[in-house]
Amino acid sequence: MSAETRRQQNVRRMLDAQHPPLPNDIAVRAIERGDRMQRRRRAARAVAWVLVLALIAVLTVWAATVSPWEAGPRATTPPVEGP
């Protein structure tokens, strides 16, 4: 008897066996759980967008106040010594 034949027999035996009864309110519980998951995902997405927008605002303000490309030469520039 091959391994595949044994597997098929095991599957048939499991499918022919009596299935355990399901609770009567399983559909209601599944819907409630799905709603909770959806609300949590939506809230997490909203928080992530607020954080991204806050980060963009902070970087914009920082870039507007600190502009290294407009600064003059540094006062601590070492003197140029020729050969």
Side-chain angles (χ1 to χ4, degrees):
M1 181 181 285
S2 70
E4 187 172 335
T5 306
R6 268 187 271 132
R7 284 190 209 129
Q8 289 176 352
Q9 287 177 350
N10 287 338
V11 169
R12 283 194 186 104
R13 198 173 326 121
M14 287 189 318
L15 290 175
D16 289 340
Q18 184 178 2
H19 300 294
L22 295 175
N24 293 333
D25 63 338
I26 193 163
V28 173
R29 292 190 322 199
I31 291 171
E32 289 172 353
R33 183 176 181 199
D35 288 343
R36 274 194 311 269
M37 289 172 55
Q38 194 172 23
R39 279 194 306 272
R40 287 178 185 158
R41 286 182 186 149
R42 194 176 298 135
R45 197 176 307 126
V47 168
W49 275 110
V50 167
L51 290 175
V52 166
L53 293 174
L55 179 65
I56 290 172
V58 167
L59 289 175
T60 303
V61 169
W62 175 78
T65 58
V66 179
S67 54
W69 48 87
E70 292 179 4
R74 294 184 180 179
T76 59
T77 305
V80 178
E81 296 177 7

